[in-house]
Amino acid sequence: MEPPRLVERTAEPAADEPQAHRRIVFGIVSIALLMASIDQTIVATALNAIRSDLNAELNWSGWTITIYALGQILVMPLAGRLGDQFGRKRVFLAAAVLFTIASLACSLADNIYLLVVFRAFQAIGGGAFMPTATGIVAEQFGRDRDRAVGMFTSIFPIGGILGPIVGGVIVTYWSWREIFIVNVPAGLLLILLAWRFIPHSAPKAAARIDGVGALLLALTILSGMYGISSLGGRGADPTDPLFIGAEVLALAFGFLFVRHTNRARDPFIPITLLRGRGFAVMNAINLLYGAAVLGFGALVPLYAESRYGIQPLQAGTLLTARAVGMICVAGLAVFALRRTGYRAPMIGGFLLVAAGMTLMSTAPHGLTPYAWLAVAAGVTGIGMGLSIPASNNASLQLAPDQISAIAGLRGMFRQSGGIIAVSVTTTVLAHSATPGTSQANVFIIFAAVLLLIVPFTFLVPDHRGSW
């Protein structure tokens, strides 16, 4: 006899009426986003312990972080498309299962190569959370989906705060393996809650996978990011044959992907999401924004240590100041979106982040170096809290039936920009006699990039009210 099965509701796509259990669903997907966010930063505190325990070289230890970012870049657009085609609950559950199993495998790895491979699988699970969670929440909150999606802005900085703290405590009192083991009970709880409470979404009619398009997109991203990351990882310069070869391959695969997308009857990513009205400009904004903001965040502790001699633990807390500023403003910005539209908070936020980066690049005035840097980081956090909710929602209302795919592309472009910025910057610093001063100049360049984005925002379709 077949065991009794729970009756699950089916959510109508883009329904205007909020669903009864939307807050429970939001809490469940928030757990997933928090886990993925924490794992972006928690491993950084364990690099020395991993290197020592596994007798690994430094560059291979660093790949435990790099592969997580690369895996997320690859899977975000794929998960968005799969969620739209086969149902977001199925993809979300599959991501949770993969993330949990991969975390357990990471804790059991006995060499650095296996650890990097298992981290890649963990990244696939973690990267699939954001696009599927965005689609699930959009369905559940109906006309209030803009505010609900905007609230995701507050989850990632919380993970950024908790990651280094939790990682430091675990490595100090246990070992690096426990930073992965803690994901197992949390992942099992997430799977049970998601299976019980998240409703099924209706898959698209005649859905099918464009395998050729998916493969070409994967090869484009992997070859491009491998070439760029080799600059920092191998200490190479832009004339290195490996870098040139990888980027030529990326351009070739990218050309083939665009040509295939133009010709395919049911392409993996509709060409309108890449270059359609509003989408093309937002993709460019997300790439540049990721380069400036994500690249900046990853380099702040290094800057504090190299220029001012601040201790590593204290330098890491500077990102806490940025996260606090972001959290304080993001909630208010979300609820103001219907009055302000998207353009005004994006412009204001970009200008504030640029101002904070400029402050950080200058010498302290009347404050200790740490206090000066903390104030500057806080200003950048306020700017991020103002701009990210608007930029997250700016293109979603253009195609509400493809929310997961849009969210995946957004994450892909931002993460790609961040890796490009970090790789190029670390290459510059490796060849610099005064890394601290050179990095200050890099922050000025980041600020200039944000100012460059401002004119692009006038090409973004503005919107007020719910959608």
Side-chain angles (χ1 to χ4, degrees), residues 299 302-308 425-443:
L299 296 167
L302 177 64
Y303 174 67
E305 295 172 35
S306 61
R307 185 172 186 184
Y308 297 107
T425 301
T426 52
T427 300
V428 171
L429 298 181
H431 295 86
S432 173
T434 55
T437 303
S438 297
Q439 199 167 344
N441 295 331
V442 169
F443 288 165

PDB file of all heavy atoms in Angstrom, residues 299 302-308 425-443:
ATOM      1  N   LEU A 299      38.343  43.169  -0.874  1.00  0.00           N
ATOM      2  CA  LEU A 299      39.692  43.702  -0.738  1.00  0.00           C
ATOM      3  C   LEU A 299      39.877  44.637   0.449  1.00  0.00           C
ATOM      4  O   LEU A 299      41.000  45.057   0.735  1.00  0.00           O
ATOM      5  CB  LEU A 299      40.076  44.442  -2.028  1.00  0.00           C
ATOM      6  CG  LEU A 299      40.161  43.564  -3.281  1.00  0.00           C
ATOM      7  CD1 LEU A 299      40.236  44.425  -4.531  1.00  0.00           C
ATOM      8  CD2 LEU A 299      41.350  42.629  -3.203  1.00  0.00           C
ATOM      9  N   LEU A 302      42.341  43.323   3.268  1.00  0.00           N
ATOM     10  CA  LEU A 302      43.716  43.345   2.769  1.00  0.00           C
ATOM     11  C   LEU A 302      44.264  44.761   2.749  1.00  0.00           C
ATOM     12  O   LEU A 302      45.434  44.996   3.100  1.00  0.00           O
ATOM     13  CB  LEU A 302      43.748  42.740   1.360  1.00  0.00           C
ATOM     14  CG  LEU A 302      45.100  42.747   0.640  1.00  0.00           C
ATOM     15  CD1 LEU A 302      46.099  41.888   1.389  1.00  0.00           C
ATOM     16  CD2 LEU A 302      44.939  42.261  -0.796  1.00  0.00           C
ATOM     17  N   TYR A 303      43.442  45.714   2.361  1.00  0.00           N
ATOM     18  CA  TYR A 303      43.853  47.121   2.310  1.00  0.00           C
ATOM     19  C   TYR A 303      44.193  47.639   3.709  1.00  0.00           C
ATOM     20  O   TYR A 303      45.219  48.308   3.909  1.00  0.00           O
ATOM     21  CB  TYR A 303      42.722  47.947   1.699  1.00  0.00           C
ATOM     22  CG  TYR A 303      42.943  49.444   1.699  1.00  0.00           C
ATOM     23  CD1 TYR A 303      43.932  50.021   0.922  1.00  0.00           C
ATOM     24  CD2 TYR A 303      42.150  50.274   2.481  1.00  0.00           C
ATOM     25  CE1 TYR A 303      44.124  51.395   0.910  1.00  0.00           C
ATOM     26  CE2 TYR A 303      42.322  51.638   2.477  1.00  0.00           C
ATOM     27  CZ  TYR A 303      43.311  52.199   1.693  1.00  0.00           C
ATOM     28  OH  TYR A 303      43.502  53.565   1.693  1.00  0.00           O
ATOM     29  N   ALA A 304      43.350  47.311   4.682  1.00  0.00           N
ATOM     30  CA  ALA A 304      43.592  47.774   6.055  1.00  0.00           C
ATOM     31  C   ALA A 304      44.890  47.204   6.613  1.00  0.00           C
ATOM     32  O   ALA A 304      45.628  47.889   7.338  1.00  0.00           O
ATOM     33  CB  ALA A 304      42.414  47.374   6.939  1.00  0.00           C
ATOM     34  N   GLU A 305      45.182  45.963   6.264  1.00  0.00           N
ATOM     35  CA  GLU A 305      46.404  45.338   6.759  1.00  0.00           C
ATOM     36  C   GLU A 305      47.643  45.887   6.063  1.00  0.00           C
ATOM     37  O   GLU A 305      48.652  46.204   6.718  1.00  0.00           O
ATOM     38  CB  GLU A 305      46.332  43.821   6.550  1.00  0.00           C
ATOM     39  CG  GLU A 305      45.246  43.122   7.353  1.00  0.00           C
ATOM     40  CD  GLU A 305      45.099  41.660   6.959  1.00  0.00           C
ATOM     41  OE1 GLU A 305      46.127  41.035   6.631  1.00  0.00           O
ATOM     42  OE2 GLU A 305      43.966  41.158   6.963  1.00  0.00           O
ATOM     43  N   SER A 306      47.590  46.007   4.735  1.00  0.00           N
ATOM     44  CA  SER A 306      48.792  46.380   3.982  1.00  0.00           C
ATOM     45  C   SER A 306      49.119  47.861   4.096  1.00  0.00           C
ATOM     46  O   SER A 306      50.300  48.234   4.123  1.00  0.00           O
ATOM     47  CB  SER A 306      48.621  45.995   2.506  1.00  0.00           C
ATOM     48  OG  SER A 306      47.514  46.678   1.945  1.00  0.00           O
ATOM     49  N   ARG A 307      48.113  48.730   4.188  1.00  0.00           N
ATOM     50  CA  ARG A 307      48.410  50.162   4.232  1.00  0.00           C
ATOM     51  C   ARG A 307      48.611  50.683   5.650  1.00  0.00           C
ATOM     52  O   ARG A 307      49.470  51.541   5.887  1.00  0.00           O
ATOM     53  CB  ARG A 307      47.305  50.963   3.551  1.00  0.00           C
ATOM     54  CG  ARG A 307      47.644  52.449   3.460  1.00  0.00           C
ATOM     55  CD  ARG A 307      46.670  53.250   2.631  1.00  0.00           C
ATOM     56  NE  ARG A 307      47.139  54.626   2.473  1.00  0.00           N
ATOM     57  CZ  ARG A 307      46.461  55.584   1.855  1.00  0.00           C
ATOM     58  NH1 ARG A 307      45.259  55.333   1.324  1.00  0.00           N
ATOM     59  NH2 ARG A 307      46.964  56.804   1.757  1.00  0.00           N
ATOM     60  N   TYR A 308      47.809  50.162   6.611  1.00  0.00           N
ATOM     61  CA  TYR A 308      47.847  50.715   7.960  1.00  0.00           C
ATOM     62  C   TYR A 308      48.324  49.722   9.015  1.00  0.00           C
ATOM     63  O   TYR A 308      48.403  50.072  10.194  1.00  0.00           O
ATOM     64  CB  TYR A 308      46.458  51.239   8.353  1.00  0.00           C
ATOM     65  CG  TYR A 308      45.986  52.371   7.474  1.00  0.00           C
ATOM     66  CD1 TYR A 308      44.991  52.173   6.537  1.00  0.00           C
ATOM     67  CD2 TYR A 308      46.557  53.643   7.573  1.00  0.00           C
ATOM     68  CE1 TYR A 308      44.553  53.200   5.719  1.00  0.00           C
ATOM     69  CE2 TYR A 308      46.135  54.684   6.757  1.00  0.00           C
ATOM     70  CZ  TYR A 308      45.137  54.457   5.836  1.00  0.00           C
ATOM     71  OH  TYR A 308      44.708  55.493   5.021  1.00  0.00           O
ATOM     72  N   THR A 425      42.869  43.212  -9.710  1.00  0.00           N
ATOM     73  CA  THR A 425      43.478  43.991  -8.632  1.00  0.00           C
ATOM     74  C   THR A 425      44.618  43.241  -7.969  1.00  0.00           C
ATOM     75  O   THR A 425      45.688  43.817  -7.706  1.00  0.00           O
ATOM     76  CB  THR A 425      42.416  44.357  -7.579  1.00  0.00           C
ATOM     77  OG1 THR A 425      41.377  45.118  -8.192  1.00  0.00           O
ATOM     78  CG2 THR A 425      43.037  45.174  -6.454  1.00  0.00           C
ATOM     79  N   THR A 426      44.426  41.959  -7.668  1.00  0.00           N
ATOM     80  CA  THR A 426      45.503  41.200  -7.027  1.00  0.00           C
ATOM     81  C   THR A 426      46.719  41.071  -7.941  1.00  0.00           C
ATOM     82  O   THR A 426      47.863  41.025  -7.464  1.00  0.00           O
ATOM     83  CB  THR A 426      45.010  39.805  -6.610  1.00  0.00           C
ATOM     84  OG1 THR A 426      44.387  39.165  -7.742  1.00  0.00           O
ATOM     85  CG2 THR A 426      43.998  39.902  -5.486  1.00  0.00           C
ATOM     86  N   THR A 427      46.490  41.020  -9.249  1.00  0.00           N
ATOM     87  CA  THR A 427      47.614  40.989 -10.189  1.00  0.00           C
ATOM     88  C   THR A 427      48.386  42.297 -10.137  1.00  0.00           C
ATOM     89  O   THR A 427      49.629  42.310 -10.121  1.00  0.00           O
ATOM     90  CB  THR A 427      47.099  40.742 -11.621  1.00  0.00           C
ATOM     91  OG1 THR A 427      46.408  39.499 -11.664  1.00  0.00           O
ATOM     92  CG2 THR A 427      48.261  40.703 -12.606  1.00  0.00           C
ATOM     93  N   VAL A 428      47.662  43.419 -10.084  1.00  0.00           N
ATOM     94  CA  VAL A 428      48.313  44.732  -9.981  1.00  0.00           C
ATOM     95  C   VAL A 428      49.114  44.826  -8.691  1.00  0.00           C
ATOM     96  O   VAL A 428      50.272  45.285  -8.674  1.00  0.00           O
ATOM     97  CB  VAL A 428      47.253  45.852 -10.048  1.00  0.00           C
ATOM     98  CG1 VAL A 428      47.881  47.203  -9.712  1.00  0.00           C
ATOM     99  CG2 VAL A 428      46.622  45.900 -11.435  1.00  0.00           C
ATOM    100  N   LEU A 429      48.513  44.367  -7.586  1.00  0.00           N
ATOM    101  CA  LEU A 429      49.194  44.466  -6.292  1.00  0.00           C
ATOM    102  C   LEU A 429      50.433  43.579  -6.242  1.00  0.00           C
ATOM    103  O   LEU A 429      51.422  43.915  -5.584  1.00  0.00           O
ATOM    104  CB  LEU A 429      48.231  44.073  -5.166  1.00  0.00           C
ATOM    105  CG  LEU A 429      46.987  44.950  -5.002  1.00  0.00           C
ATOM    106  CD1 LEU A 429      46.139  44.464  -3.824  1.00  0.00           C
ATOM    107  CD2 LEU A 429      47.368  46.408  -4.808  1.00  0.00           C
ATOM    108  N   ALA A 430      50.377  42.430  -6.920  1.00  0.00           N
ATOM    109  CA  ALA A 430      51.527  41.524  -6.920  1.00  0.00           C
ATOM    110  C   ALA A 430      52.742  42.149  -7.585  1.00  0.00           C
ATOM    111  O   ALA A 430      53.882  41.789  -7.274  1.00  0.00           O
ATOM    112  CB  ALA A 430      51.156  40.215  -7.621  1.00  0.00           C
ATOM    113  N   HIS A 431      52.532  43.090  -8.489  1.00  0.00           N
ATOM    114  CA  HIS A 431      53.634  43.744  -9.194  1.00  0.00           C
ATOM    115  C   HIS A 431      53.920  45.146  -8.659  1.00  0.00           C
ATOM    116  O   HIS A 431      54.682  45.891  -9.268  1.00  0.00           O
ATOM    117  CB  HIS A 431      53.320  43.837 -10.690  1.00  0.00           C
ATOM    118  CG  HIS A 431      53.234  42.503 -11.372  1.00  0.00           C
ATOM    119  ND1 HIS A 431      52.079  41.760 -11.409  1.00  0.00           N
ATOM    120  CD2 HIS A 431      54.170  41.767 -12.031  1.00  0.00           C
ATOM    121  CE1 HIS A 431      52.290  40.636 -12.077  1.00  0.00           C
ATOM    122  NE2 HIS A 431      53.558  40.609 -12.458  1.00  0.00           N
ATOM    123  N   SER A 432      53.302  45.502  -7.526  1.00  0.00           N
ATOM    124  CA  SER A 432      53.450  46.856  -6.987  1.00  0.00           C
ATOM    125  C   SER A 432      54.447  46.873  -5.833  1.00  0.00           C
ATOM    126  O   SER A 432      54.460  45.972  -4.984  1.00  0.00           O
ATOM    127  CB  SER A 432      52.094  47.383  -6.510  1.00  0.00           C
ATOM    128  OG  SER A 432      52.244  48.621  -5.851  1.00  0.00           O
ATOM    129  N   ALA A 433      55.271  47.925  -5.786  1.00  0.00           N
ATOM    130  CA  ALA A 433      56.223  48.084  -4.685  1.00  0.00           C
ATOM    131  C   ALA A 433      55.528  48.611  -3.437  1.00  0.00           C
ATOM    132  O   ALA A 433      56.011  48.409  -2.323  1.00  0.00           O
ATOM    133  CB  ALA A 433      57.349  49.034  -5.100  1.00  0.00           C
ATOM    134  N   THR A 434      54.401  49.302  -3.601  1.00  0.00           N
ATOM    135  CA  THR A 434      53.633  49.860  -2.474  1.00  0.00           C
ATOM    136  C   THR A 434      52.175  49.413  -2.617  1.00  0.00           C
ATOM    137  O   THR A 434      51.324  50.169  -3.088  1.00  0.00           O
ATOM    138  CB  THR A 434      53.726  51.388  -2.441  1.00  0.00           C
ATOM    139  OG1 THR A 434      53.292  51.899  -3.722  1.00  0.00           O
ATOM    140  CG2 THR A 434      55.148  51.834  -2.162  1.00  0.00           C
ATOM    141  N   PRO A 435      51.860  48.169  -2.202  1.00  0.00           N
ATOM    142  CA  PRO A 435      50.510  47.643  -2.407  1.00  0.00           C
ATOM    143  C   PRO A 435      49.409  48.477  -1.776  1.00  0.00           C
ATOM    144  O   PRO A 435      48.323  48.622  -2.359  1.00  0.00           O
ATOM    145  CB  PRO A 435      50.590  46.249  -1.761  1.00  0.00           C
ATOM    146  CG  PRO A 435      52.034  45.887  -1.790  1.00  0.00           C
ATOM    147  CD  PRO A 435      52.762  47.186  -1.594  1.00  0.00           C
ATOM    148  N   GLY A 436      49.660  49.027  -0.582  1.00  0.00           N
ATOM    149  CA  GLY A 436      48.631  49.819   0.077  1.00  0.00           C
ATOM    150  C   GLY A 436      48.227  51.032  -0.737  1.00  0.00           C
ATOM    151  O   GLY A 436      47.040  51.319  -0.926  1.00  0.00           O
ATOM    152  N   THR A 437      49.221  51.767  -1.248  1.00  0.00           N
ATOM    153  CA  THR A 437      48.936  52.945  -2.071  1.00  0.00           C
ATOM    154  C   THR A 437      48.281  52.549  -3.387  1.00  0.00           C
ATOM    155  O   THR A 437      47.351  53.224  -3.856  1.00  0.00           O
ATOM    156  CB  THR A 437      50.243  53.713  -2.338  1.00  0.00           C
ATOM    157  OG1 THR A 437      50.853  54.065  -1.093  1.00  0.00           O
ATOM    158  CG2 THR A 437      49.968  54.975  -3.135  1.00  0.00           C
ATOM    159  N   SER A 438      48.749  51.472  -3.972  1.00  0.00           N
ATOM    160  CA  SER A 438      48.152  51.004  -5.226  1.00  0.00           C
ATOM    161  C   SER A 438      46.692  50.628  -5.024  1.00  0.00           C
ATOM    162  O   SER A 438      45.834  50.916  -5.873  1.00  0.00           O
ATOM    163  CB  SER A 438      48.935  49.804  -5.758  1.00  0.00           C
ATOM    164  OG  SER A 438      50.270  50.153  -6.061  1.00  0.00           O
ATOM    165  N   GLN A 439      46.398  50.002  -3.895  1.00  0.00           N
ATOM    166  CA  GLN A 439      45.015  49.613  -3.656  1.00  0.00           C
ATOM    167  C   GLN A 439      44.128  50.828  -3.419  1.00  0.00           C
ATOM    168  O   GLN A 439      42.952  50.833  -3.793  1.00  0.00           O
ATOM    169  CB  GLN A 439      44.946  48.662  -2.454  1.00  0.00           C
ATOM    170  CG  GLN A 439      43.654  47.865  -2.408  1.00  0.00           C
ATOM    171  CD  GLN A 439      43.719  46.722  -1.417  1.00  0.00           C
ATOM    172  OE1 GLN A 439      44.800  46.338  -0.974  1.00  0.00           O
ATOM    173  NE2 GLN A 439      42.571  46.173  -1.085  1.00  0.00           N
ATOM    174  N   ALA A 440      44.674  51.875  -2.804  1.00  0.00           N
ATOM    175  CA  ALA A 440      43.915  53.116  -2.649  1.00  0.00           C
ATOM    176  C   ALA A 440      43.538  53.673  -4.019  1.00  0.00           C
ATOM    177  O   ALA A 440      42.417  54.165  -4.227  1.00  0.00           O
ATOM    178  CB  ALA A 440      44.735  54.130  -1.860  1.00  0.00           C
ATOM    179  N   ASN A 441      44.471  53.606  -4.956  1.00  0.00           N
ATOM    180  CA  ASN A 441      44.169  54.060  -6.320  1.00  0.00           C
ATOM    181  C   ASN A 441      43.110  53.181  -6.990  1.00  0.00           C
ATOM    182  O   ASN A 441      42.275  53.676  -7.755  1.00  0.00           O
ATOM    183  CB  ASN A 441      45.450  54.068  -7.157  1.00  0.00           C
ATOM    184  CG  ASN A 441      46.464  55.073  -6.660  1.00  0.00           C
ATOM    185  OD1 ASN A 441      46.107  56.106  -6.089  1.00  0.00           O
ATOM    186  ND2 ASN A 441      47.739  54.786  -6.846  1.00  0.00           N
ATOM    187  N   VAL A 442      43.135  51.884  -6.681  1.00  0.00           N
ATOM    188  CA  VAL A 442      42.114  50.980  -7.227  1.00  0.00           C
ATOM    189  C   VAL A 442      40.730  51.371  -6.712  1.00  0.00           C
ATOM    190  O   VAL A 442      39.745  51.347  -7.457  1.00  0.00           O
ATOM    191  CB  VAL A 442      42.447  49.526  -6.853  1.00  0.00           C
ATOM    192  CG1 VAL A 442      41.258  48.602  -7.168  1.00  0.00           C
ATOM    193  CG2 VAL A 442      43.680  49.051  -7.597  1.00  0.00           C
ATOM    194  N   PHE A 443      40.635  51.756  -5.444  1.00  0.00           N
ATOM    195  CA  PHE A 443      39.341  52.179  -4.901  1.00  0.00           C
ATOM    196  C   PHE A 443      38.819  53.421  -5.614  1.00  0.00           C
ATOM    197  O   PHE A 443      37.607  53.572  -5.818  1.00  0.00           O
ATOM    198  CB  PHE A 443      39.461  52.447  -3.402  1.00  0.00           C
ATOM    199  CG  PHE A 443      39.614  51.196  -2.566  1.00  0.00           C
ATOM    200  CD1 PHE A 443      40.027  51.272  -1.252  1.00  0.00           C
ATOM    201  CD2 PHE A 443      39.350  49.943  -3.100  1.00  0.00           C
ATOM    202  CE1 PHE A 443      40.160  50.132  -0.479  1.00  0.00           C
ATOM    203  CE2 PHE A 443      39.489  48.789  -2.340  1.00  0.00           C
ATOM    204  CZ  PHE A 443      39.894  48.894  -1.018  1.00  0.00           C
TER     205      PHE A 443
END
